[in-house]
Amino acid sequence: MSATGTATAAISDTLIDEIRGVVGAEGLITDPAATRVYECDGFVLARKSPQLVVLPASREEVAATLRLLWQAEVPFVPRGAGTGLSGGCLPLQAPVMVGTSRLRRIREVDVANRRAVVEAGVVNLHVTRAVAEHGLLYAPDPSSQGACTVGGNVAENSGGPHTLKYGVTTNHVLGIELVLPDGRVVELGGVVDDVPGYDLRGFAIGGEGTVGLVTAATLRLVPVPAAVRTMMAVFGSVDDACRAVSAIIAAGVIPAALELMDRLIVQAVEDAYGFGFPTGAGAVLIVELDGLADGVAEQVEAVEALCRESSADEVRVARDEAERAALWKSRKKAFGAVGRLAPNYCTQDGVVPRGSVPEILRRISAVAERQRLRIANVFHAGDGNIHPIILFDERDEDEVRRVLDAGREILEACVDLGGSVTGEHGIGVEKIEQMPLIFSPTDLRVMAELRAVFDPLSRCNPGKILPTPGACVELGAPRRQVPL
Amino acid sequence: MNMERAEHSAIDDSLLRQCVHCGLCLDACPTYVELGNEADSPRGRIHLATALAGGDLELSDEAVRHFDLCLGCRACETACPSGVPYGRIIEETRAHIEARHRRSWLDRLRRSAVLAVFPHRGRLAWLTRLVRALQLVGLWPLVRRLVPAARLFPKLSAGQPLRSSEPDGEAVRRVGFLRGCVSDVVQPQVNAAAARVLRRARVAVDVAAGQGCCGALHLHAGDVDQARRLARANIDAFDGRELDAVVVTAAGCGAAMREYGELLRDDPAYRERAARFAARVRDVTELVEPLLPESGGGQGAGRRVTYHDACHLAHAQGVRSQPRALLSRIAGWQLVELEESDRCCGSAGSYNLTEPEMAAALAMRKVDCIERSGADCVAVANPGCALQIAAELRRRGNPMRVAHPLELVDESLAARSE
């Protein structure tokens, strides 16, 4: 159940007093009842409580805190809202956690230049809310966008259903303000796209908090699309649905979102909510198109035709906002519905080239058969980001073991097909053992050297991303997993 | 392990296990947003409750603090994708705590004082008579200085007791009417307005004798036995009277009564009656909105009203659109939306008496939003919220009116029929 970390440095009372002097009593958590709730994020298979949680309220407080920790030679782990799905902020080898929940200011909204400077603890959705009156939005929209924060999005390079058209976090962050483990503050990137020299901004984004603590980011804002249409296509088989996906992309249409649900998911959703999907549907595709009104209307017709050419039994275009909301509800509630099929479920995250989606689905069903498990699939079809949901009962120890084996086999299959072990959940502690599957020893060594430039003494989230002897984590039984 | 659990914990493990630890509740939680501490978030509290239920966590003052700080607003339930029944979890955890944890004498005094006065209409009536007397002889400012909670009392007026009534002509509905404790005594004009509006909507009103407190405050304080006794009394009072619904003007009472089925699920004599009763409970705005005619402009025309979603109406009962429709469609006011309209104002039953500091912070945040809305009046469908918001407005010297939606509807209908 608990993670096995190496021995951690002791925290002296003097250090605690000094940190309290910086952040005040309200910014410091020492009580074991309260530090206990920080033992895991959205990934609950590995747990370890920090000894101390610090919640600074400004860049200056972050810098002063990190300087004190640096001098005392105590490692720390940064934490955003704790919605991560791979254990990125597990305090594996660090006794201190530094959270960004009190860094909540939107420092600046620059409408003319379409950018905003926000602190790390600002909730993703609050950025879009703050700029909505100007007809702008912040595009990356992870499913946790109502709770996850910009700092965590930067650390994980988060995606979302609209990644296909709009890209991931790194495509929308112009610059970041980063406090290095020794307390120095650096600005990476800038306020424009093309900053001369090395792209250190790009290096730090997706660094999972191993190169310092992000205190603020300059975000790119995009105009709210003039028109949005959402449609649903029902297919007899997943293969037909995948052919439609390929045809849509090949035709040059870039949907804002392209989501696929397989037979098991469709049945579960239908049983739970009665959306009116035809019984026996092998797969349902949800397509969202956005842009200028005229163009969108043409694309809707094109996508409908392409779906029918790929043997769609039915294509339905949402007529109004209520129907559109209902379609998205079927996708977003899918996980809740799956909860009805089994006491527990565990969601994997992997990527394959779009063309290999039918093949990975075949391999997933082979894994399911071999391991005697039920696996449902709902995923971002447009970019080959799969999310197999493995159903099980945690009281059956043998089944739990088979679930973990199945997860590994599926990720290995992704790599085998030229993909990757994570699409959007990050490495954290969950997938650190699989890093050598996608990177050569030299790749990994260069990464380690580069990381050492920022964190030469491994004080910042040690034991993450790059496999090291101390980074092995014994995973417990998966509990019910979280929706994506 | 589970058997052991069942014996030493009052918290149902199967409820706790529904939480998948995704954290989507965090930003909905007023105390988390205020403090930024995970232990003061719904997910953190469920984490702690799980540890308590499993016997892995000592019931220290610090641990109890995080549960005391919960408002019970249930905004997290609206945000939760997994359908975790947080309201039940917090109630069971509180019962677990009260049965096992010894509080300081001051804390006990404060908590028992609330339960000794508020749910008893007779005692509350005496208290309000005392307050009115003090207000009349000019001693009230002194009391307010000595007892901070006294700030919540508005200027009180004597009200007429609510009576059963029949509409002119044939009734389209027959409803039972729960008067509530605080509402009936501290703001009698709300029930009176509701009764007049119901009458115009041709609804017969039955103020059944024998009704009493809904038990919400006891349940929130962890006194489940007393809550059950009160629930049974109300079920007895309204049962067998051929009613289409039981209505109430206080969102807190409505939310509690809708859960009588759950509350009495282990009581064979009442289980089914409780479920039937709960299924008939309606907030008065929900019942009356579809029965009233369109506004012909109304006396509210041209004036702006904003609407605060009481937690126990929006989050606990899912009633959001009907009060808004009453204000704009029936009363004829111009409705301006309130920022964070469904964020708790800090009243939360007796929370503002037991946790004055957090309650004050949330009241300020709420009234900041209300002032920014530019409205002339704020409508609130729960007496606790109304008192809390009115007290903060008074403190700022802001004369803005706080009214129940049905008061504005009543005024508008009266003006139209003149």
Side-chain angles (χ1 to χ4, degrees), chain B residues 172-177 194 197-199 201-205 243-248 258 280-292 313 317 319 322-323 326 329 406:
Chain B
V172 294
R173 298 271 197 291
R174 303 196 69 80
V175 302
F177 196 108
V197 173
L198 285 167
R199 198 188 162 124
R202 299 211 298 161
V203 176
V205 174
L243 301 170
D244 299 305
V246 174
V247 301
V248 62
R258 278 187 199 239
R280 283 186 307 171
V281 173
R282 294 287 179 276
D283 186 75
V284 69
T285 59
E286 190 184 1
L287 180 109
V288 86
E289 190 267 333
L291 302 178
L292 288 170
L313 201 52
Q317 304 187 59
V319 176
Q322 298 92 332
L326 282 172
R329 192 172 68 82
L406 285 198

Side-chain angles (χ1 to χ4, degrees), chain A residues 39 41 82 101 104 126 394, chain B residues 17 21 27 33 36 43 47:
Chain A
E39 69 181 0
D41 55 11
S101 63
R104 279 187 298 225
H126 290 195
E394 70 179 347
Chain B
R17 288 168 56 87
H21 218 261
D27 192 52
V33 169
R43 178 173 67 171
H47 205 108

Side-chain angles (χ1 to χ4, degrees), chain A residues 7 61 77 104 120 213 232 260 266 284 322 349 363 449 451 480:
Chain A
E61 287 186 14
V77 49
R104 279 187 298 225
L213 194 149
M232 175 195 80
L260 206 159
V266 171
V284 167
D349 168 45
R363 295 212 193 172
E449 285 165 5
R451 171 178 170 177
R480 288 164 62 93

Side-chain angles (χ1 to χ4, degrees), chain A residues 29 31 33 36-42 44 55 79 81-83 101 104 123 126 144 146-147 394 479-483, chain B residues 17-24 26-27 32-39 43-44 47-48 51 56 62-63 66 81:
Chain A
I29 303 170
D31 179 59
R36 181 195 189 106
V37 302
Y38 290 91
E39 69 181 0
C40 62
D41 55 11
V44 297
L55 305 173
R79 187 186 200 257
T83 56
S101 63
R104 279 187 298 225
V123 171
H126 290 195
S144 58
E394 70 179 347
R479 293 187 59 200
R480 288 164 62 93
Q481 264 275 17
V482 299
Chain B
R17 288 168 56 87
Q18 290 184 39
C19 173
V20 298
H21 218 261
C22 68
L24 293 195
L26 295 176
D27 192 52
Y32 177 77
V33 169
E34 211 52 45
L35 301 170
N37 183 342
E38 173 90 17
R43 178 173 67 171
H47 205 108
L48 291 178
D56 303 330
E62 287 83 1
H66 300 297

Side-chain angles (χ1 to χ4, degrees), chain A residues 30 76 100 203 208 230-231 238 256 259 269 331 407 445 484:
Chain A
T30 54
F76 71 95
T100 58
F203 171 71
E208 301 195 13
T230 306
M231 55 205 290
V238 169
E259 304 282 306
V269 169
R331 164 64 179 89
R445 196 169 316 121
L484 298 167

Side-chain angles (χ1 to χ4, degrees), chain A residues 171-480:
Chain A
N171 305 112
H172 297 271
V173 173
L174 296 164
I176 57 177
E177 177 184 279
L178 181 75
V179 182
L180 297 176
D182 61 7
R184 284 180 297 163
V185 180
V186 290
E187 303 267 352
L188 308 180
V191 295
V192 292
D193 278 311
D194 193 8
V195 177
Y198 300 110
D199 183 13
L200 297 180
R201 173 208 64 89
F203 171 71
I205 295 172
E208 301 195 13
T210 61
V211 294
L213 194 149
V214 174
T215 46
T218 303
L219 307 177
R220 179 201 311 283
L221 304 171
V222 297
V224 177
V228 181
R229 300 294 296 277
T230 306
M231 55 205 290
M232 175 195 80
V234 182
F235 297 87
S237 72
V238 169
D239 277 3
D240 287 344
C242 288
R243 271 200 294 134
V245 169
S246 297
I248 291 167
I249 304 285
V253 177
I254 302 180
L258 195 50
E259 304 282 306
L260 206 159
M261 302 189 281
D262 76 358
R263 184 187 303 270
L264 200 49
I265 292 279
V266 171
Q267 274 172 4
V269 169
E270 191 54 32
D271 288 350
Y273 304 106
F275 282 108
F277 294 135
T279 42
V284 167
L285 198 60
I286 294 176
V287 189
E288 183 155 290
L289 298 157
D290 69 8
L292 299 172
D294 289 353
V296 169
E298 270 171 37
Q299 289 187 337
V300 167
E301 281 175 31
V303 168
E304 184 169 355
L306 291 166
C307 285
R308 293 201 189 280
E309 279 167 29
S310 307
S311 320
D313 297 324
E314 189 186 339
V315 182
R316 236 190 271 171
V317 182
R319 276 166 303 185
D320 52 30
E321 191 51 38
E323 283 194 14
R324 183 174 167 251
L327 273 181
W328 273 113
K329 190 174 163 201
S330 72
R331 164 64 179 89
K332 290 188 173 163
K333 295 254 177 180
F335 287 85
V338 165
R340 295 164 192 247
L341 299 178
N344 305 89
Y345 62 94
C346 161
T347 308
Q348 261 304 347
D349 168 45
V351 185
V352 293
R354 196 166 42 234
S356 302
V357 167
E359 176 59 20
I360 190 71
L361 291 177
R362 272 191 288 277
R363 295 212 193 172
I364 289 171
S365 84
V367 168
E369 206 167 309
R370 194 164 54 243
Q371 298 287 0
R372 289 172 287 125
L373 294 165
R374 279 191 300 167
I375 303 182
N377 287 286
V378 49
F379 54 93
H380 314 308
D383 43 14
N385 186 184
I386 58 160
H387 290 306
I389 305 168
I390 312 176
L391 309 178
F392 67 103
D393 182 338
E394 70 179 347
R395 287 165 295 192
D396 182 342
E397 279 180 33
D398 180 60
E399 193 167 64
V400 170
R401 244 191 322 275
R402 284 183 276 126
V403 169
L404 293 170
D405 287 345
R408 259 193 301 276
E409 287 171 22
I410 290 169
L411 294 181
E412 282 163 15
C414 288
V415 174
D416 187 43
L417 291 171
S420 164
V421 296
T422 172
E424 54 190 9
H425 295 178
I427 297 298
V429 294
E430 188 196 17
K431 293 178 173 168
I432 198 159
E433 283 176 61
Q434 275 110 16
M435 283 294 273
L437 294 178
I438 37 177
F439 296 108
S440 74
T442 312
D443 292 345
L444 292 170
R445 196 169 316 121
V446 171
M447 286 185 203
E449 285 165 5
L450 203 44
R451 171 178 170 177
V453 172
F454 290 80
D455 182 23
L457 301 175
S458 284
R459 294 276 179 72
C460 190
N461 206 4
K464 301 292 171 59
I465 298 193
L466 301 170
T468 55
C472 295
V473 176
E474 197 183 308
L475 299 183
R479 293 187 59 200
R480 288 164 62 93

